[in-house]
């Protein structure tokens, strides 16, 4: 299986090369040259397997330059003992044909663990296959969830180092504490005076700085990226939709071939794109429901075919979806345009120049058949958290609640006859202030640990160990640097003196 670029069909790369380098030199994203099929027989066989074997089965179709043994090693390293129990991605029935797919039982309590626990294993092997011998330095700019998940994924992975920059006032108290207490010998964390964009811009500048690249090369190191456009982050996400379908068969909710709908709280479009690929492989998915918060650029796009980022940015209680440029959407429109990299390049050039593009009628028609899109504001998100908690006893985080709310809107139009998988992307404890605001507003306080206890009292569900356990942890990283000093900070953290 080869990979090509969404912006230039003449590009040909192996999976390992695509993962090791992250992005195609033309600025396009790597995509498989064709989407492999999953036959009904294979799906039946997958239903008898555990999560890890399902992962090897699915990943093997995409990562053909990895041996089955290598994939087993990667998958075992990622998922054994790190997600609570055997059930890496459990499906919870919350009545009315709604099945919540909990993707947050990993070490950082957000769904990014599903991919970022596996990526380091795939990346180090990919680097060995393509540009052997170098120590890989991962640089991350984060608005909260990605940084912590990447730190946990790469901690003490031989042959790698990781440095994370976060905006000093842009992350929640718990997210900050998760990062500054990070353990591991190969990790570094630094706050940036500025916002997320400043951190992101600084990291991009370092990636393209020839001087620092030469400096790293002298020390036999090279930069790489763990952001969500890397194919090594997308492929692992396809697995859990197939796994959820298998679980629903095992529970007797559906029979082989029955249609299910899928609802995904969406930001960068990675998670829902994985569901689209699962459907294209042959998983019987009906509608893909795309749920957004007040930053509803995707709702408008999927309804009208016009992508327009020229609009106000809203800071919401579901911050991991506060995004105006959804990078992974490029892979969808590439596929729906019949793999027409010329057209995709035109749209992306227009996005870069004007912040806007409009897809053609053929693509709009395909989107209409596949997707339904909706959005909701913070007040409705909190109302949904309260309603679902009161009626079903199920406590959801703010991102998952956006999905539950938008699904409710969908059922008003189309009914609730189809069993529906709702992707749950974070533990409610990770966003305790907003969740408490919905179910017990009088218990909101200044102390992040008091709020964990309060949520525990109200819900009866224990706080996840990785969050509760932060309380006694030593703070290891107190460094704050100016946006203009990030390069020096990187060299210093790598113990490289500028020559
Ligand atoms: C990253 C994230 C999302 C958005 O996922 P995409 O793949 O970017 O669409 C949703 N919820 C949470 C909690 C996240 O961390």
């Amino acid at each position: 299986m080869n990979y090509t670029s969404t912006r230039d069909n003449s590009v040909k790369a192996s999976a390992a090369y695509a993962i090791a380098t992250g992005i195609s030199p033309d600025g396009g994203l790597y995509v498989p040259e064709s989407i492999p099929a999953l036959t009904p027989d294979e799906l039946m066989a997958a239903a008898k397997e555990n999560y890890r074997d399902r992962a090897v089965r699915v990943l093997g179709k995409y990562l053909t330059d990895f041996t089955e043994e290598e994939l087993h090693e990667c998958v075992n390293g990622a998922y054994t003992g790190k997600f609570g129990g055997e059930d890496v991605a459990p499906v919870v029935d919350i009545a009315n044909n709604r099945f919540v797919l909990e993707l947050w039982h990993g070490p950082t309590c957000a769904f990014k663990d599903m991919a970022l626990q596996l990526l380091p294993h795939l990346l180090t092997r990919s680097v060995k296959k393509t540009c052997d011998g170098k120590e890989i330095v991962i640089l991350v700019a984060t608005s909260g969830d990605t940084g912590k998940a990447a730190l946990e994924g790469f901690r003490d992975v031989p042959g790698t180092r990781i440095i994370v920059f976060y905006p000093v006032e842009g992350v929640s108290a718990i997210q900050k504490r998760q990062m500054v207490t990070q353990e591991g010998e190969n990790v570094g964390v630094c706050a940036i005076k500025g916002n997320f964009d400043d951190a992101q811009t600084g990291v991009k500048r370092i990636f393209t700085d020839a001087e620092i690249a030469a400096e790293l090369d002298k020390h036999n190191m090279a930069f790489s990226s763990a952001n969500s456009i890397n194919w090594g982050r997308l492929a692992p996400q396809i697995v859990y939709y197939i796994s959820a379908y298998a679980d629903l068969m095992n529970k007797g909710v559906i029979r082989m071939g029955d249609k299910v709908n899928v609802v995904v709280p969406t930001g960068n479009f990675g998670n829902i794109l994985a569901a689209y690929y699962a459907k294209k492989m042959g998983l019987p998915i009906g509608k893909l429901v795309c749920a957004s918060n007040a930053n509803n650029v995707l709702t408008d796009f999927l309804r009208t075919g016009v992508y327009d980022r020229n609009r106000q940015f809203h800071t919401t209680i579901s911050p991991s979806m506060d995004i105006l440029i959804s990078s992974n959407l490029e892979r969808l429109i590439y596929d729906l345009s019949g793999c027409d990299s010329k057209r995709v390049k035109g749209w992306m050039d227009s996005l870069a120049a004007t912040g806007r593009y409009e897809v053609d009628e053929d693509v709009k028609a395909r989107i209409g058949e596949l997707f339904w899109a909706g959005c909701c504001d913070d007040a409705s998100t909190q109302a949904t958290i309260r309603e679902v908690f009161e009626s079903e006893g199920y406590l959801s985080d703010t991102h998952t609640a956006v999905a539950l709310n938008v699904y409710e809107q969908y059922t008003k139009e189309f009914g609730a006859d189809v069993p529906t998988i709702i992707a749950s992307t974070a533990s409610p404890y990770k966003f305790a202030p907003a969740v408490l605001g919905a179910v017990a507003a009088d218990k909101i306080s200044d102390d992040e640990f008091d709020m964990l206890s309060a949520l525990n009292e109200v819900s009866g569900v224990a706080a996840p160990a990785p969050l509760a356990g932060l309380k006694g942890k030593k703070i290891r990283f107190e460094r704050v640097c100016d946006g203009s000093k990030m390069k020096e900070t990187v060299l210093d953290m790598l113990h490289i003196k500028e020559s």
Side-chain angles (χ1 to χ4, degrees):
M1 160 91 64
N2 275 310
Y3 288 72
T4 187
S5 162
T6 50
R7 297 189 199 179
D8 180 0
N9 272 157
S10 71
V11 169
K12 219 182 182 65
S14 66
Y17 188 82
I19 292 170
T21 56
I23 189 163
S24 179
D26 51 75
L29 310 191
Y30 284 115
V31 281
E33 278 184 338
S34 63
I35 304 299
L38 182 80
T39 66
D41 281 351
E42 288 175 298
L43 190 49
M44 290 301 279
K48 298 195 180 70
E49 297 170 341
N50 66 20
Y51 191 87
R52 293 186 301 273
D53 291 338
R54 290 171 185 171
V56 170
R57 179 184 284 281
V58 175
L59 292 170
K61 294 176 180 291
Y62 287 96
L63 311 180
T64 48
D65 47 351
F66 285 65
T67 64
E68 196 175 324
E69 194 190 340
E70 282 177 311
L71 286 176
H72 272 291
E73 284 166 15
C74 291
V75 161
N76 284 336
Y79 299 124
T80 304
K82 294 203 171 145
F83 284 76
E86 258 309 279
D87 213 352
V88 173
V91 176
V92 180
D93 182 349
I94 62 161
N96 301 334
N97 255 338
R98 293 171 300 177
F99 299 89
V100 177
L101 171 57
E102 293 184 344
L103 301 171
W104 42 262
H105 291 278
T108 79
C109 309
F111 98 100
K112 303 223 168 30
D113 288 331
M114 298 298 299
L116 277 166
Q117 282 295 312
L118 186 56
L119 179 71
H121 299 279
L122 297 176
L123 185 66
T124 46
R125 281 170 180 79
S126 296
V127 168
K128 277 216 183 83
K129 287 176 197 290
T130 54
C131 42
D132 191 22
K134 288 227 189 313
E135 188 173 27
I136 294 299
V137 180
I138 304 287
L139 284 192
V140 181
T142 185
S143 57
D145 286 341
T146 304
K148 177 62 183 178
L151 285 163
E152 264 313 312
F154 281 94
R155 87 187 242 192
D156 294 328
V157 172
T160 72
R161 309 240 208 140
I162 174 164
I163 297 174
V164 170
F165 291 101
Y166 70 92
V168 71
E169 262 148 33
V171 302
S172 78
I174 278 284
Q175 286 174 324
K176 175 175 174 186
R177 196 172 283 267
Q178 280 188 302
M179 288 189 279
V180 296
T181 58
Q182 177 65 43
E183 290 164 2
E185 292 310 309
N186 63 339
V187 303
V189 175
C190 180
I192 290 296
K193 289 181 202 151
N195 58 26
F196 171 64
D197 279 333
D198 299 322
Q200 172 104 322
T201 308
V203 163
K204 280 196 185 141
R205 208 179 298 130
I206 295 172
F207 271 132
T208 51
D209 185 316
E211 229 174 73
I212 193 167
E215 206 60 54
L216 256 68
D217 195 52
K218 263 196 246 163
H219 293 81
N220 207 25
M221 296 175 177
F223 284 127
S224 188
S225 145
N227 70 24
S228 78
I229 55 176
N230 193 313
W231 182 253
R233 274 189 63 180
L234 202 70
Q237 301 186 343
I238 301 170
V239 176
Y240 48 71
Y241 291 106
I242 293 165
S243 176
Y245 191 92
D247 285 349
L248 289 180
M249 284 199 289
N250 289 342
K251 284 177 203 272
V253 174
I254 51 173
R255 280 190 305 197
M256 181 65 216
D258 287 350
K259 282 251 169 21
V260 298
N261 290 334
V262 172
V263 189
V264 186
T266 299
N268 215 11
F269 210 77
N271 202 358
I272 194 166
L273 181 72
Y276 167 77
Y277 283 138
K279 176 176 163 76
K280 196 154 179 192
M281 289 175 79
L283 194 70
I285 293 177
K287 279 281 179 209
L288 297 157
V289 177
C290 176
S292 301
N293 64 23
N295 296 294
N296 57 1
V297 61
L298 284 169
T299 315
D300 291 346
F301 172 72
L302 294 171
R303 288 180 178 179
T304 67
V306 176
Y307 195 96
D308 192 351
R309 64 155 299 186
N310 303 303
R311 59 179 72 208
Q312 200 194 331
F313 177 83
H314 299 278
T315 300
T316 74
I317 57 171
S318 44
S320 302
M321 293 153 66
D322 291 347
I323 274 180
L324 289 181
I325 296 199
S326 295
S327 323
N328 268 304
L329 187 62
E330 184 170 342
R331 286 187 165 115
L332 178 77
I333 57 177
Y334 172 81
D335 211 61
L336 298 186
S337 70
C339 306
D340 186 341
S341 60
K342 281 213 180 66
R343 274 203 283 171
V344 173
K345 183 169 171 4
W347 294 327
M348 291 303 120
D349 286 346
S350 163
L351 180 66
T354 68
R356 182 185 185 280
Y357 64 90
E358 179 169 6
V359 293
D360 303 325
E361 289 305 325
D362 60 328
V363 177
K364 281 185 206 173
R366 289 290 290 134
I367 289 173
E369 290 158 20
L370 292 158
F371 289 88
W372 193 86
C375 57
C376 79
D377 62 15
D378 282 355
S380 312
T381 305
Q382 283 185 308
T384 295
I385 294 175
R386 189 161 47 244
E387 263 164 46
V388 174
F389 182 61
E390 279 169 6
S391 60
E392 319 299 343
Y394 187 80
L395 193 63
S396 62
D397 97 290
T398 48
H399 304 76
T400 309
V402 169
L404 288 163
N405 182 293
V406 167
Y407 177 60
E408 201 56 39
Q409 298 174 35
Y410 174 85
T411 59
K412 295 222 165 80
E413 213 170 308
F414 300 98
D417 296 339
V418 181
T420 297
I421 295 168
I422 294 156
S424 174
T425 50
S427 157
Y429 281 90
K430 200 155 185 188
F431 299 93
V435 174
L436 267 184
V439 295
D442 55 315
K443 294 204 164 70
I444 294 178
S445 78
D446 289 340
D447 183 282
E448 65 257 45
F449 296 109
D450 287 350
M451 286 196 280
L452 295 189
S453 310
L455 210 48
N456 176 219
E457 266 168 49
V458 174
S459 70
V461 180
L467 296 182
L470 289 172
K471 190 158 188 175
K473 280 215 166 138
K474 194 171 142 250
I475 291 178
R476 296 185 65 205
F477 301 101
E478 289 180 287
R479 189 165 187 151
V480 182
C481 91
D482 213 80
S484 62
K485 290 274 181 299
M486 286 168 66
K487 183 174 157 185
E488 290 79 358
T489 305
V490 167
L491 289 174
D492 190 47
M493 286 178 133
L494 295 173
H495 306 294
I496 295 175
K497 289 266 171 306
E498 227 175 333
S499 49

